[in-house]
Amino acid sequence: MFKEEKSLEGDALIKEVCRRIRVARSYWDAHNNRACRREREKALILYNRLTKQEKEKIPQVLRVWLRYRSEKYFGSHRTPPRKTKKKK
């Protein structure tokens, strides 16, 4: 994690989680799965640092996308992304 992310607490942490989820959703809408997966993972790391009361402050639409809809496509049961082969 980045240094500024470690120091985030309270409202700043909530705001950053919302921002990351929105960025991931915009990548999803643009069919950029690699970037979406990366942003979603960062958002989940930060989301898991929140208390129950703080999680309730996240808009429901964002929580649903992060926990359920994106899990359907990026969950551990899915085939991991292909690694690009290096050309010689």
Side-chain angles (χ1 to χ4, degrees), residues 3 7 9 11 13 15 19-20 25 30 33 39 50-51 56 58-59 61 66 69-71 73 83 86:
K3 287 182 181 180
S7 64
E9 293 180 6
D11 289 338
L13 182 58
K15 187 174 180 178
R19 186 188 73 78
R20 292 240 183 231
R25 285 177 53 188
N33 289 343
E39 282 299 323
L50 296 172
T51 64
E56 291 173 2
I58 305 273
V61 173
L66 181 67
R69 186 165 185 266
S70 63
E71 182 65 27
Y73 298 100
K83 304 225 177 186
K86 294 182 181 179

Side-chain angles (χ1 to χ4, degrees), residues 40-55:
R40 179 185 170 272
E41 288 174 359
K42 290 177 183 177
L44 272 173
I45 290 169
L46 294 175
Y47 181 80
N48 288 330
R49 289 179 44 199
L50 296 172
T51 64
K52 187 175 181 178
Q53 293 80 18
E54 290 173 331
K55 287 179 182 178

Side-chain angles (χ1 to χ4, degrees), residues 13-43:
L13 182 58
I14 293 168
K15 187 174 180 178
E16 181 66 12
V17 170
C18 291
R19 186 188 73 78
R20 292 240 183 231
I21 297 170
R22 286 187 179 105
V23 169
R25 285 177 53 188
S26 68
Y27 285 140
W28 173 259
D29 292 339
H31 303 284
N32 189 345
N33 289 343
R34 179 180 290 169
C36 177
R37 183 183 300 265
R38 185 172 46 244
E39 282 299 323
R40 179 185 170 272
E41 288 174 359
K42 290 177 183 177

